[in-house]
Amino acid sequence: MDTRRDAPVPNEQIVHELQGKTCFACFVYSWLHSLKSWSLLKTRGDSNRGEVLPPLVSKQYEVGAKYDINPNLLLSTALFRIEKANQYSDLATPIPSYVQDGLQVHNGVELVLTGKVTDNLTIMGGHSNGYQCGKIQ
């Protein structure tokens, strides 16, 4: 089992900016490949307690847009997809094991509004859910 913590984790981002006389907007595409270091199983009751699982690998894709409504108000929105290894207790009898098997897929949308209230205070609020749904493959 490979438990290295030094594997390359590539990512890329493309930003296209539009600037008009009264507005500023940009469109963003990003792709991120991440690696979460291995984990030691500490769950009580699992038959493989104390074993080391391989690192979790995940991929994230995002496409979005940002729009300056006015100099003090920014609207951001994005569609995203996250794919990562699935971990779970297999509920085997007589003693379950904690395993990595399959792929979790999360698709969703996020909307964020950022406002500059004063020179020293900016408030940010948003929602990330919409059609978000987790699926095991």
Side-chain angles (χ1 to χ4, degrees):
M1 170 186 349
D2 186 2
T3 58
R4 293 178 306 145
R5 296 183 193 192
D6 61 350
V9 286
N11 80 54
E12 64 184 51
Q13 183 171 19
I14 298 171
V15 178
H16 180 71
E17 297 181 357
L18 303 172
Q19 182 124 20
K21 291 182 178 180
T22 59
C23 74
F24 174 78
C26 72
F27 299 93
V28 179
Y29 158 79
S30 68
W31 172 77
L32 174 67
H33 190 151
S34 68
L35 177 68
K36 181 180 177 188
S37 64
W38 56 271
S39 58
L40 177 64
L41 296 178
K42 299 177 183 175
T43 307
R44 293 183 196 185
D46 285 333
S47 64
N48 56 343
R49 183 172 190 234
E51 289 184 14
V52 176
L53 289 179
L56 287 175
V57 176
S58 66
K59 295 178 184 175
Q60 179 175 332
Y61 308 91
E62 185 172 335
V63 61
K66 296 181 179 188
Y67 178 70
D68 277 327
I69 296 170
N70 67 47
N72 296 319
L73 197 58
L74 173 68
L75 176 65
S76 304
T77 187
L79 299 173
F80 63 87
R81 178 181 178 93
I82 300 169
E83 301 171 352
K84 65 181 185 175
N86 186 42
Q87 294 188 118
Y88 62 95
S89 183
D90 67 3
L91 302 178
T93 54
I95 303 171
S97 293
Y98 198 75
V99 296
Q100 278 186 13
D101 185 32
L103 184 69
Q104 288 182 29
V105 178
H106 301 273
N107 296 308
V109 62
E110 66 182 7
L111 183 65
V112 178
L113 192 61
T114 305
K116 185 174 182 180
V117 180
T118 69
D119 287 340
N120 298 320
L121 178 63
T122 300
I123 296 177
M124 179 185 216
H127 183 70
S128 178
N129 212 354
Y131 69 95
Q132 183 175 355
C133 60
K135 185 168 88 171
I136 309 288
Q137 295 181 343

